[in-house]
Amino acid sequence: MLSITFPAISPILFEFGPISIRWYSLAYIFGFIFAWKYIQYLIKQKGFFSINHNISRKDVDDLIFYGIIGLIFGARFGYILFYNFSYYISEPIRMFYVWEGGLSFHGGLLGIVLAIFLFTKSKKISFLTISDLICASAPVGIFLGRISNFINAELYGRPTDVFIGVIFPNTDGLHRHPSQIYEALLEGLTIFIILNIMIYGFKKLKQTGYISGMFLMLYSTFRFLIEFTREPDIQVGYIFNQLTMGMILSIPMFLFGIVLIYYSKKNDGRK
């Protein structure tokens, strides 16, 4: 049977004494740097928005700071709540042991939503305009994060006999789906391409809330489908014998995306 050879790449890029720089950390860093620069680029484009958005470069600087805080805290506490609540209730001090791993995309999303809300309230800027800009740039960070998951040999897929199966280190030796690569290509690269076609080809930033709704619908759809190839978290397993936590959390995400698409069409140019 053919298979993908797992790359001999250390999760640690380099070490300097007690300090180690990991690929996963760099994924977050470069993801935020890209979002920062790309949003600054988008707000300068003439004819992209239906209203005067009054967003300055300084606002974008502040937005990224809010976003970093919201993502980190949301992702951590989302993992605690959705994926390992009983463990952390019995060992509460370990909630703060972030170096042990444990981050949730859906929790991170909720954290960013709260961060955007607080940011837009303080700046008196449209919430949906800001969320559209973040959703247009976020897939690059998702792509880098999933590639880092693959390098770390974590969040791997279920056993498979397809030709692209991978034997991950420190597992049972079975060929498994490289589900991290599926997620990088679909949740990251594909969504980025689709959303930016909507922005540049169809001027969908004029339809405030559309890009946010489309992001939610696309991500939740891809995530739901990829969960069929992804090994469930061992401490959670299957829910109702066939659903994973990732699937369940993706359903309200999809429904809310539909609501935003409807809202954007109904209120085009007025929000």
Side-chain angles (χ1 to χ4, degrees), residues 83 106 158 219-230 232-233 236-255:
Y83 290 95
H106 295 92
R158 305 181 194 182
Y219 181 91
S220 56
T221 299
F222 290 147
R223 177 65 183 269
F224 192 94
L225 294 175
I226 293 170
E227 284 286 320
F228 285 106
T229 71
R230 180 171 159 174
D233 292 73
V236 179
Y238 294 99
I239 302 169
F240 306 123
N241 296 322
Q242 54 187 332
L243 297 178
T244 66
M245 181 60 73
M247 290 176 174
I248 291 175
L249 294 175
S250 293
I251 294 171
M253 189 176 175
F254 182 85
L255 296 176

PDB file of all heavy atoms in Angstrom, residues 83 106 158 219-230 232-233 236-255:
ATOM      1  N   TYR A  83     -14.393  20.088  25.466  1.00  0.00           N
ATOM      2  CA  TYR A  83     -13.664  18.847  25.215  1.00  0.00           C
ATOM      3  C   TYR A  83     -13.121  18.136  26.453  1.00  0.00           C
ATOM      4  O   TYR A  83     -12.831  16.948  26.368  1.00  0.00           O
ATOM      5  CB  TYR A  83     -12.498  19.119  24.250  1.00  0.00           C
ATOM      6  CG  TYR A  83     -12.954  19.416  22.847  1.00  0.00           C
ATOM      7  CD1 TYR A  83     -13.122  20.726  22.410  1.00  0.00           C
ATOM      8  CD2 TYR A  83     -13.224  18.392  21.946  1.00  0.00           C
ATOM      9  CE1 TYR A  83     -13.546  21.009  21.120  1.00  0.00           C
ATOM     10  CE2 TYR A  83     -13.647  18.660  20.656  1.00  0.00           C
ATOM     11  CZ  TYR A  83     -13.803  19.974  20.251  1.00  0.00           C
ATOM     12  OH  TYR A  83     -14.230  20.250  18.965  1.00  0.00           O
ATOM     13  N   HIS A 106     -13.691  26.458  17.743  1.00  0.00           N
ATOM     14  CA  HIS A 106     -15.002  27.064  18.010  1.00  0.00           C
ATOM     15  C   HIS A 106     -14.941  27.988  19.226  1.00  0.00           C
ATOM     16  O   HIS A 106     -15.583  29.044  19.245  1.00  0.00           O
ATOM     17  CB  HIS A 106     -16.048  25.969  18.200  1.00  0.00           C
ATOM     18  CG  HIS A 106     -16.288  25.148  16.968  1.00  0.00           C
ATOM     19  ND1 HIS A 106     -15.595  23.984  16.708  1.00  0.00           N
ATOM     20  CD2 HIS A 106     -17.123  25.336  15.920  1.00  0.00           C
ATOM     21  CE1 HIS A 106     -16.004  23.480  15.557  1.00  0.00           C
ATOM     22  NE2 HIS A 106     -16.930  24.274  15.062  1.00  0.00           N
ATOM     23  N   ARG A 158      -8.663   9.141  11.174  1.00  0.00           N
ATOM     24  CA  ARG A 158      -9.027   7.764  11.472  1.00  0.00           C
ATOM     25  C   ARG A 158      -8.238   6.808  10.558  1.00  0.00           C
ATOM     26  O   ARG A 158      -7.731   7.214   9.513  1.00  0.00           O
ATOM     27  CB  ARG A 158     -10.529   7.560  11.259  1.00  0.00           C
ATOM     28  CG  ARG A 158     -11.400   8.531  12.034  1.00  0.00           C
ATOM     29  CD  ARG A 158     -12.874   8.265  11.788  1.00  0.00           C
ATOM     30  NE  ARG A 158     -13.698   9.374  12.261  1.00  0.00           N
ATOM     31  CZ  ARG A 158     -15.019   9.413  12.224  1.00  0.00           C
ATOM     32  NH1 ARG A 158     -15.688   8.371  11.731  1.00  0.00           N
ATOM     33  NH2 ARG A 158     -15.695  10.463  12.666  1.00  0.00           N
ATOM     34  N   TYR A 219     -16.891  27.150   6.525  1.00  0.00           N
ATOM     35  CA  TYR A 219     -16.071  26.468   7.529  1.00  0.00           C
ATOM     36  C   TYR A 219     -16.841  25.320   8.174  1.00  0.00           C
ATOM     37  O   TYR A 219     -16.315  24.210   8.307  1.00  0.00           O
ATOM     38  CB  TYR A 219     -15.576  27.434   8.607  1.00  0.00           C
ATOM     39  CG  TYR A 219     -14.707  26.719   9.624  1.00  0.00           C
ATOM     40  CD1 TYR A 219     -13.331  26.652   9.449  1.00  0.00           C
ATOM     41  CD2 TYR A 219     -15.260  26.062  10.720  1.00  0.00           C
ATOM     42  CE1 TYR A 219     -12.528  25.950  10.345  1.00  0.00           C
ATOM     43  CE2 TYR A 219     -14.478  25.353  11.617  1.00  0.00           C
ATOM     44  CZ  TYR A 219     -13.109  25.303  11.422  1.00  0.00           C
ATOM     45  OH  TYR A 219     -12.329  24.584  12.296  1.00  0.00           O
ATOM     46  N   SER A 220     -18.072  25.587   8.588  1.00  0.00           N
ATOM     47  CA  SER A 220     -18.839  24.554   9.283  1.00  0.00           C
ATOM     48  C   SER A 220     -19.117  23.364   8.369  1.00  0.00           C
ATOM     49  O   SER A 220     -19.095  22.208   8.816  1.00  0.00           O
ATOM     50  CB  SER A 220     -20.154  25.126   9.819  1.00  0.00           C
ATOM     51  OG  SER A 220     -20.920  25.710   8.779  1.00  0.00           O
ATOM     52  N   THR A 221     -19.362  23.622   7.090  1.00  0.00           N
ATOM     53  CA  THR A 221     -19.595  22.527   6.144  1.00  0.00           C
ATOM     54  C   THR A 221     -18.346  21.676   5.973  1.00  0.00           C
ATOM     55  O   THR A 221     -18.393  20.440   6.071  1.00  0.00           O
ATOM     56  CB  THR A 221     -20.029  23.077   4.778  1.00  0.00           C
ATOM     57  OG1 THR A 221     -21.255  23.807   4.922  1.00  0.00           O
ATOM     58  CG2 THR A 221     -20.240  21.943   3.779  1.00  0.00           C
ATOM     59  N   PHE A 222     -17.215  22.330   5.712  1.00  0.00           N
ATOM     60  CA  PHE A 222     -15.966  21.585   5.537  1.00  0.00           C
ATOM     61  C   PHE A 222     -15.581  20.846   6.817  1.00  0.00           C
ATOM     62  O   PHE A 222     -15.150  19.690   6.770  1.00  0.00           O
ATOM     63  CB  PHE A 222     -14.842  22.534   5.115  1.00  0.00           C
ATOM     64  CG  PHE A 222     -14.985  23.070   3.714  1.00  0.00           C
ATOM     65  CD1 PHE A 222     -14.541  24.350   3.393  1.00  0.00           C
ATOM     66  CD2 PHE A 222     -15.548  22.309   2.715  1.00  0.00           C
ATOM     67  CE1 PHE A 222     -14.666  24.841   2.107  1.00  0.00           C
ATOM     68  CE2 PHE A 222     -15.682  22.796   1.413  1.00  0.00           C
ATOM     69  CZ  PHE A 222     -15.235  24.068   1.111  1.00  0.00           C
ATOM     70  N   ARG A 223     -15.717  21.507   7.952  1.00  0.00           N
ATOM     71  CA  ARG A 223     -15.348  20.883   9.224  1.00  0.00           C
ATOM     72  C   ARG A 223     -16.227  19.658   9.491  1.00  0.00           C
ATOM     73  O   ARG A 223     -15.736  18.606   9.920  1.00  0.00           O
ATOM     74  CB  ARG A 223     -15.470  21.895  10.356  1.00  0.00           C
ATOM     75  CG  ARG A 223     -15.171  21.340  11.753  1.00  0.00           C
ATOM     76  CD  ARG A 223     -13.707  20.898  11.886  1.00  0.00           C
ATOM     77  NE  ARG A 223     -13.455  20.320  13.195  1.00  0.00           N
ATOM     78  CZ  ARG A 223     -13.047  21.019  14.255  1.00  0.00           C
ATOM     79  NH1 ARG A 223     -12.841  22.338  14.154  1.00  0.00           N
ATOM     80  NH2 ARG A 223     -12.835  20.423  15.410  1.00  0.00           N
ATOM     81  N   PHE A 224     -17.534  19.776   9.233  1.00  0.00           N
ATOM     82  CA  PHE A 224     -18.451  18.671   9.457  1.00  0.00           C
ATOM     83  C   PHE A 224     -18.054  17.463   8.613  1.00  0.00           C
ATOM     84  O   PHE A 224     -18.004  16.328   9.098  1.00  0.00           O
ATOM     85  CB  PHE A 224     -19.882  19.096   9.127  1.00  0.00           C
ATOM     86  CG  PHE A 224     -20.935  18.135   9.587  1.00  0.00           C
ATOM     87  CD1 PHE A 224     -21.565  18.301  10.806  1.00  0.00           C
ATOM     88  CD2 PHE A 224     -21.310  17.050   8.790  1.00  0.00           C
ATOM     89  CE1 PHE A 224     -22.543  17.409  11.246  1.00  0.00           C
ATOM     90  CE2 PHE A 224     -22.272  16.152   9.216  1.00  0.00           C
ATOM     91  CZ  PHE A 224     -22.892  16.332  10.435  1.00  0.00           C
ATOM     92  N   LEU A 225     -17.756  17.708   7.343  1.00  0.00           N
ATOM     93  CA  LEU A 225     -17.389  16.616   6.439  1.00  0.00           C
ATOM     94  C   LEU A 225     -16.046  15.996   6.813  1.00  0.00           C
ATOM     95  O   LEU A 225     -15.891  14.771   6.808  1.00  0.00           O
ATOM     96  CB  LEU A 225     -17.350  17.138   4.999  1.00  0.00           C
ATOM     97  CG  LEU A 225     -18.698  17.578   4.415  1.00  0.00           C
ATOM     98  CD1 LEU A 225     -18.502  18.191   3.029  1.00  0.00           C
ATOM     99  CD2 LEU A 225     -19.675  16.400   4.347  1.00  0.00           C
ATOM    100  N   ILE A 226     -15.067  16.828   7.157  1.00  0.00           N
ATOM    101  CA  ILE A 226     -13.734  16.315   7.494  1.00  0.00           C
ATOM    102  C   ILE A 226     -13.761  15.524   8.792  1.00  0.00           C
ATOM    103  O   ILE A 226     -12.956  14.601   8.983  1.00  0.00           O
ATOM    104  CB  ILE A 226     -12.722  17.480   7.573  1.00  0.00           C
ATOM    105  CG1 ILE A 226     -12.518  18.089   6.185  1.00  0.00           C
ATOM    106  CG2 ILE A 226     -11.372  17.011   8.119  1.00  0.00           C
ATOM    107  CD1 ILE A 226     -11.726  19.379   6.175  1.00  0.00           C
ATOM    108  N   GLU A 227     -14.720  15.827   9.669  1.00  0.00           N
ATOM    109  CA  GLU A 227     -14.821  15.089  10.928  1.00  0.00           C
ATOM    110  C   GLU A 227     -15.063  13.596  10.686  1.00  0.00           C
ATOM    111  O   GLU A 227     -14.745  12.769  11.544  1.00  0.00           O
ATOM    112  CB  GLU A 227     -15.938  15.660  11.796  1.00  0.00           C
ATOM    113  CG  GLU A 227     -15.588  16.975  12.477  1.00  0.00           C
ATOM    114  CD  GLU A 227     -14.614  16.804  13.635  1.00  0.00           C
ATOM    115  OE1 GLU A 227     -14.745  15.830  14.394  1.00  0.00           O
ATOM    116  OE2 GLU A 227     -13.719  17.653  13.769  1.00  0.00           O
ATOM    117  N   PHE A 228     -15.600  13.224   9.520  1.00  0.00           N
ATOM    118  CA  PHE A 228     -15.787  11.812   9.209  1.00  0.00           C
ATOM    119  C   PHE A 228     -14.451  11.097   9.020  1.00  0.00           C
ATOM    120  O   PHE A 228     -14.388   9.867   9.083  1.00  0.00           O
ATOM    121  CB  PHE A 228     -16.635  11.649   7.941  1.00  0.00           C
ATOM    122  CG  PHE A 228     -18.099  11.921   8.145  1.00  0.00           C
ATOM    123  CD1 PHE A 228     -18.674  13.081   7.662  1.00  0.00           C
ATOM    124  CD2 PHE A 228     -18.892  11.017   8.837  1.00  0.00           C
ATOM    125  CE1 PHE A 228     -20.025  13.339   7.835  1.00  0.00           C
ATOM    126  CE2 PHE A 228     -20.250  11.267   9.025  1.00  0.00           C
ATOM    127  CZ  PHE A 228     -20.821  12.428   8.528  1.00  0.00           C
ATOM    128  N   THR A 229     -13.390  11.860   8.764  1.00  0.00           N
ATOM    129  CA  THR A 229     -12.065  11.263   8.577  1.00  0.00           C
ATOM    130  C   THR A 229     -11.145  11.511   9.769  1.00  0.00           C
ATOM    131  O   THR A 229     -10.042  10.980   9.805  1.00  0.00           O
ATOM    132  CB  THR A 229     -11.382  11.833   7.328  1.00  0.00           C
ATOM    133  OG1 THR A 229     -10.993  13.200   7.543  1.00  0.00           O
ATOM    134  CG2 THR A 229     -12.295  11.760   6.120  1.00  0.00           C
ATOM    135  N   ARG A 230     -11.586  12.300  10.723  1.00  0.00           N
ATOM    136  CA  ARG A 230     -10.724  12.715  11.824  1.00  0.00           C
ATOM    137  C   ARG A 230     -10.984  11.872  13.070  1.00  0.00           C
ATOM    138  O   ARG A 230     -12.142  11.606  13.409  1.00  0.00           O
ATOM    139  CB  ARG A 230     -10.964  14.203  12.121  1.00  0.00           C
ATOM    140  CG  ARG A 230     -10.140  14.777  13.250  1.00  0.00           C
ATOM    141  CD  ARG A 230     -10.308  16.296  13.287  1.00  0.00           C
ATOM    142  NE  ARG A 230      -9.962  16.842  14.584  1.00  0.00           N
ATOM    143  CZ  ARG A 230      -9.906  18.153  14.864  1.00  0.00           C
ATOM    144  NH1 ARG A 230     -10.174  19.021  13.915  1.00  0.00           N
ATOM    145  NH2 ARG A 230      -9.598  18.571  16.058  1.00  0.00           N
ATOM    146  N   PRO A 232     -11.770  11.157  16.692  1.00  0.00           N
ATOM    147  CA  PRO A 232     -12.362  11.975  17.754  1.00  0.00           C
ATOM    148  C   PRO A 232     -11.416  12.100  18.943  1.00  0.00           C
ATOM    149  O   PRO A 232     -10.581  11.221  19.183  1.00  0.00           O
ATOM    150  CB  PRO A 232     -13.622  11.191  18.148  1.00  0.00           C
ATOM    151  CG  PRO A 232     -13.862  10.242  17.038  1.00  0.00           C
ATOM    152  CD  PRO A 232     -12.529   9.927  16.434  1.00  0.00           C
ATOM    153  N   ASP A 233     -11.546  13.178  19.691  1.00  0.00           N
ATOM    154  CA  ASP A 233     -10.761  13.326  20.912  1.00  0.00           C
ATOM    155  C   ASP A 233     -11.073  12.163  21.835  1.00  0.00           C
ATOM    156  O   ASP A 233     -12.248  11.859  22.109  1.00  0.00           O
ATOM    157  CB  ASP A 233     -11.102  14.651  21.600  1.00  0.00           C
ATOM    158  CG  ASP A 233     -10.625  15.848  20.792  1.00  0.00           C
ATOM    159  OD1 ASP A 233     -11.247  16.154  19.746  1.00  0.00           O
ATOM    160  OD2 ASP A 233      -9.629  16.453  21.187  1.00  0.00           O
ATOM    161  N   VAL A 236     -13.555  12.427  24.650  1.00  0.00           N
ATOM    162  CA  VAL A 236     -14.940  12.730  24.279  1.00  0.00           C
ATOM    163  C   VAL A 236     -15.552  11.579  23.498  1.00  0.00           C
ATOM    164  O   VAL A 236     -16.667  11.138  23.778  1.00  0.00           O
ATOM    165  CB  VAL A 236     -15.019  14.028  23.446  1.00  0.00           C
ATOM    166  CG1 VAL A 236     -16.479  14.317  23.044  1.00  0.00           C
ATOM    167  CG2 VAL A 236     -14.441  15.201  24.211  1.00  0.00           C
ATOM    168  N   GLY A 237     -14.805  11.083  22.507  1.00  0.00           N
ATOM    169  CA  GLY A 237     -15.308   9.992  21.680  1.00  0.00           C
ATOM    170  C   GLY A 237     -16.472  10.433  20.808  1.00  0.00           C
ATOM    171  O   GLY A 237     -16.576  11.604  20.415  1.00  0.00           O
ATOM    172  N   TYR A 238     -17.369   9.497  20.514  1.00  0.00           N
ATOM    173  CA  TYR A 238     -18.537   9.779  19.681  1.00  0.00           C
ATOM    174  C   TYR A 238     -19.737  10.135  20.547  1.00  0.00           C
ATOM    175  O   TYR A 238     -19.930   9.574  21.632  1.00  0.00           O
ATOM    176  CB  TYR A 238     -18.879   8.589  18.796  1.00  0.00           C
ATOM    177  CG  TYR A 238     -17.828   8.293  17.747  1.00  0.00           C
ATOM    178  CD1 TYR A 238     -16.877   7.296  17.947  1.00  0.00           C
ATOM    179  CD2 TYR A 238     -17.789   9.022  16.573  1.00  0.00           C
ATOM    180  CE1 TYR A 238     -15.910   7.036  16.989  1.00  0.00           C
ATOM    181  CE2 TYR A 238     -16.825   8.769  15.605  1.00  0.00           C
ATOM    182  CZ  TYR A 238     -15.891   7.773  15.822  1.00  0.00           C
ATOM    183  OH  TYR A 238     -14.924   7.526  14.877  1.00  0.00           O
ATOM    184  N   ILE A 239     -20.536  11.040  20.046  1.00  0.00           N
ATOM    185  CA  ILE A 239     -21.757  11.456  20.725  1.00  0.00           C
ATOM    186  C   ILE A 239     -22.935  10.928  19.912  1.00  0.00           C
ATOM    187  O   ILE A 239     -22.958  11.071  18.682  1.00  0.00           O
ATOM    188  CB  ILE A 239     -21.810  12.988  20.847  1.00  0.00           C
ATOM    189  CG1 ILE A 239     -20.574  13.477  21.618  1.00  0.00           C
ATOM    190  CG2 ILE A 239     -23.092  13.441  21.540  1.00  0.00           C
ATOM    191  CD1 ILE A 239     -20.371  14.970  21.579  1.00  0.00           C
ATOM    192  N   PHE A 240     -23.892  10.306  20.565  1.00  0.00           N
ATOM    193  CA  PHE A 240     -24.996   9.623  19.874  1.00  0.00           C
ATOM    194  C   PHE A 240     -24.457   8.564  18.912  1.00  0.00           C
ATOM    195  O   PHE A 240     -25.031   8.334  17.838  1.00  0.00           O
ATOM    196  CB  PHE A 240     -25.887  10.621  19.127  1.00  0.00           C
ATOM    197  CG  PHE A 240     -26.417  11.728  19.988  1.00  0.00           C
ATOM    198  CD1 PHE A 240     -26.171  13.049  19.660  1.00  0.00           C
ATOM    199  CD2 PHE A 240     -27.144  11.461  21.140  1.00  0.00           C
ATOM    200  CE1 PHE A 240     -26.644  14.086  20.449  1.00  0.00           C
ATOM    201  CE2 PHE A 240     -27.626  12.488  21.937  1.00  0.00           C
ATOM    202  CZ  PHE A 240     -27.374  13.805  21.584  1.00  0.00           C
ATOM    203  N   ASN A 241     -23.322   7.963  19.266  1.00  0.00           N
ATOM    204  CA  ASN A 241     -22.718   6.838  18.547  1.00  0.00           C
ATOM    205  C   ASN A 241     -22.095   7.175  17.199  1.00  0.00           C
ATOM    206  O   ASN A 241     -21.419   6.331  16.610  1.00  0.00           O
ATOM    207  CB  ASN A 241     -23.745   5.707  18.347  1.00  0.00           C
ATOM    208  CG  ASN A 241     -24.199   5.100  19.647  1.00  0.00           C
ATOM    209  OD1 ASN A 241     -23.402   4.945  20.573  1.00  0.00           O
ATOM    210  ND2 ASN A 241     -25.483   4.774  19.744  1.00  0.00           N
ATOM    211  N   GLN A 242     -22.292   8.379  16.672  1.00  0.00           N
ATOM    212  CA  GLN A 242     -21.736   8.675  15.364  1.00  0.00           C
ATOM    213  C   GLN A 242     -21.280  10.114  15.174  1.00  0.00           C
ATOM    214  O   GLN A 242     -20.488  10.401  14.278  1.00  0.00           O
ATOM    215  CB  GLN A 242     -22.745   8.328  14.270  1.00  0.00           C
ATOM    216  CG  GLN A 242     -24.105   8.989  14.449  1.00  0.00           C
ATOM    217  CD  GLN A 242     -25.125   8.484  13.446  1.00  0.00           C
ATOM    218  OE1 GLN A 242     -24.777   8.071  12.351  1.00  0.00           O
ATOM    219  NE2 GLN A 242     -26.404   8.509  13.819  1.00  0.00           N
ATOM    220  N   LEU A 243     -21.741  11.022  15.999  1.00  0.00           N
ATOM    221  CA  LEU A 243     -21.360  12.422  15.866  1.00  0.00           C
ATOM    222  C   LEU A 243     -20.157  12.735  16.756  1.00  0.00           C
ATOM    223  O   LEU A 243     -19.995  12.169  17.824  1.00  0.00           O
ATOM    224  CB  LEU A 243     -22.523  13.341  16.240  1.00  0.00           C
ATOM    225  CG  LEU A 243     -23.780  13.258  15.371  1.00  0.00           C
ATOM    226  CD1 LEU A 243     -24.852  14.195  15.918  1.00  0.00           C
ATOM    227  CD2 LEU A 243     -23.471  13.589  13.920  1.00  0.00           C
ATOM    228  N   THR A 244     -19.329  13.664  16.305  1.00  0.00           N
ATOM    229  CA  THR A 244     -18.223  14.144  17.120  1.00  0.00           C
ATOM    230  C   THR A 244     -18.571  15.523  17.650  1.00  0.00           C
ATOM    231  O   THR A 244     -19.507  16.178  17.169  1.00  0.00           O
ATOM    232  CB  THR A 244     -16.927  14.231  16.299  1.00  0.00           C
ATOM    233  OG1 THR A 244     -17.078  15.246  15.283  1.00  0.00           O
ATOM    234  CG2 THR A 244     -16.599  12.894  15.644  1.00  0.00           C
ATOM    235  N   MET A 245     -17.808  15.980  18.633  1.00  0.00           N
ATOM    236  CA  MET A 245     -18.043  17.314  19.173  1.00  0.00           C
ATOM    237  C   MET A 245     -17.853  18.369  18.086  1.00  0.00           C
ATOM    238  O   MET A 245     -18.597  19.353  18.033  1.00  0.00           O
ATOM    239  CB  MET A 245     -17.103  17.571  20.346  1.00  0.00           C
ATOM    240  CG  MET A 245     -17.283  18.947  21.000  1.00  0.00           C
ATOM    241  SD  MET A 245     -18.947  19.213  21.665  1.00  0.00           S
ATOM    242  CE  MET A 245     -18.893  18.152  23.118  1.00  0.00           C
ATOM    243  N   GLY A 246     -16.869  18.170  17.201  1.00  0.00           N
ATOM    244  CA  GLY A 246     -16.650  19.115  16.112  1.00  0.00           C
ATOM    245  C   GLY A 246     -17.856  19.236  15.208  1.00  0.00           C
ATOM    246  O   GLY A 246     -18.189  20.335  14.732  1.00  0.00           O
ATOM    247  N   MET A 247     -18.542  18.128  14.946  1.00  0.00           N
ATOM    248  CA  MET A 247     -19.753  18.151  14.129  1.00  0.00           C
ATOM    249  C   MET A 247     -20.866  18.939  14.814  1.00  0.00           C
ATOM    250  O   MET A 247     -21.532  19.781  14.203  1.00  0.00           O
ATOM    251  CB  MET A 247     -20.232  16.728  13.857  1.00  0.00           C
ATOM    252  CG  MET A 247     -19.365  15.922  12.921  1.00  0.00           C
ATOM    253  SD  MET A 247     -19.997  14.226  12.780  1.00  0.00           S
ATOM    254  CE  MET A 247     -18.925  13.577  11.498  1.00  0.00           C
ATOM    255  N   ILE A 248     -21.062  18.632  16.095  1.00  0.00           N
ATOM    256  CA  ILE A 248     -22.155  19.276  16.841  1.00  0.00           C
ATOM    257  C   ILE A 248     -21.947  20.786  16.920  1.00  0.00           C
ATOM    258  O   ILE A 248     -22.887  21.566  16.730  1.00  0.00           O
ATOM    259  CB  ILE A 248     -22.257  18.649  18.244  1.00  0.00           C
ATOM    260  CG1 ILE A 248     -22.769  17.214  18.131  1.00  0.00           C
ATOM    261  CG2 ILE A 248     -23.168  19.475  19.151  1.00  0.00           C
ATOM    262  CD1 ILE A 248     -22.802  16.456  19.425  1.00  0.00           C
ATOM    263  N   LEU A 249     -20.717  21.215  17.172  1.00  0.00           N
ATOM    264  CA  LEU A 249     -20.443  22.646  17.276  1.00  0.00           C
ATOM    265  C   LEU A 249     -20.546  23.347  15.921  1.00  0.00           C
ATOM    266  O   LEU A 249     -20.771  24.561  15.862  1.00  0.00           O
ATOM    267  CB  LEU A 249     -19.050  22.869  17.863  1.00  0.00           C
ATOM    268  CG  LEU A 249     -18.859  22.422  19.316  1.00  0.00           C
ATOM    269  CD1 LEU A 249     -17.408  22.582  19.735  1.00  0.00           C
ATOM    270  CD2 LEU A 249     -19.770  23.206  20.257  1.00  0.00           C
ATOM    271  N   SER A 250     -20.406  22.596  14.834  1.00  0.00           N
ATOM    272  CA  SER A 250     -20.473  23.190  13.503  1.00  0.00           C
ATOM    273  C   SER A 250     -21.909  23.467  13.065  1.00  0.00           C
ATOM    274  O   SER A 250     -22.134  24.318  12.208  1.00  0.00           O
ATOM    275  CB  SER A 250     -19.790  22.276  12.481  1.00  0.00           C
ATOM    276  OG  SER A 250     -18.408  22.202  12.710  1.00  0.00           O
ATOM    277  N   ILE A 251     -22.875  22.759  13.629  1.00  0.00           N
ATOM    278  CA  ILE A 251     -24.273  22.925  13.208  1.00  0.00           C
ATOM    279  C   ILE A 251     -24.799  24.324  13.522  1.00  0.00           C
ATOM    280  O   ILE A 251     -25.309  25.016  12.620  1.00  0.00           O
ATOM    281  CB  ILE A 251     -25.160  21.828  13.833  1.00  0.00           C
ATOM    282  CG1 ILE A 251     -24.766  20.467  13.253  1.00  0.00           C
ATOM    283  CG2 ILE A 251     -26.636  22.117  13.570  1.00  0.00           C
ATOM    284  CD1 ILE A 251     -25.424  19.279  13.941  1.00  0.00           C
ATOM    285  N   PRO A 252     -24.712  24.824  14.775  1.00  0.00           N
ATOM    286  CA  PRO A 252     -25.184  26.201  15.020  1.00  0.00           C
ATOM    287  C   PRO A 252     -24.367  27.236  14.262  1.00  0.00           C
ATOM    288  O   PRO A 252     -24.894  28.294  13.895  1.00  0.00           O
ATOM    289  CB  PRO A 252     -25.034  26.366  16.541  1.00  0.00           C
ATOM    290  CG  PRO A 252     -24.066  25.320  16.964  1.00  0.00           C
ATOM    291  CD  PRO A 252     -24.280  24.169  16.024  1.00  0.00           C
ATOM    292  N   MET A 253     -23.102  26.938  14.017  1.00  0.00           N
ATOM    293  CA  MET A 253     -22.257  27.839  13.234  1.00  0.00           C
ATOM    294  C   MET A 253     -22.820  27.997  11.822  1.00  0.00           C
ATOM    295  O   MET A 253     -22.904  29.108  11.281  1.00  0.00           O
ATOM    296  CB  MET A 253     -20.839  27.259  13.192  1.00  0.00           C
ATOM    297  CG  MET A 253     -19.782  28.155  12.618  1.00  0.00           C
ATOM    298  SD  MET A 253     -18.177  27.326  12.774  1.00  0.00           S
ATOM    299  CE  MET A 253     -17.137  28.510  11.903  1.00  0.00           C
ATOM    300  N   PHE A 254     -23.231  26.887  11.210  1.00  0.00           N
ATOM    301  CA  PHE A 254     -23.813  26.913   9.868  1.00  0.00           C
ATOM    302  C   PHE A 254     -25.129  27.694   9.868  1.00  0.00           C
ATOM    303  O   PHE A 254     -25.376  28.532   8.990  1.00  0.00           O
ATOM    304  CB  PHE A 254     -24.049  25.488   9.372  1.00  0.00           C
ATOM    305  CG  PHE A 254     -24.611  25.403   7.988  1.00  0.00           C
ATOM    306  CD1 PHE A 254     -23.775  25.439   6.883  1.00  0.00           C
ATOM    307  CD2 PHE A 254     -25.978  25.288   7.784  1.00  0.00           C
ATOM    308  CE1 PHE A 254     -24.290  25.366   5.599  1.00  0.00           C
ATOM    309  CE2 PHE A 254     -26.506  25.213   6.508  1.00  0.00           C
ATOM    310  CZ  PHE A 254     -25.661  25.250   5.406  1.00  0.00           C
ATOM    311  N   LEU A 255     -25.980  27.421  10.848  1.00  0.00           N
ATOM    312  CA  LEU A 255     -27.283  28.087  10.914  1.00  0.00           C
ATOM    313  C   LEU A 255     -27.126  29.596  11.103  1.00  0.00           C
ATOM    314  O   LEU A 255     -27.846  30.388  10.497  1.00  0.00           O
ATOM    315  CB  LEU A 255     -28.110  27.489  12.054  1.00  0.00           C
ATOM    316  CG  LEU A 255     -28.489  26.009  11.888  1.00  0.00           C
ATOM    317  CD1 LEU A 255     -29.226  25.509  13.129  1.00  0.00           C
ATOM    318  CD2 LEU A 255     -29.331  25.806  10.644  1.00  0.00           C
TER     319      LEU A 255
END
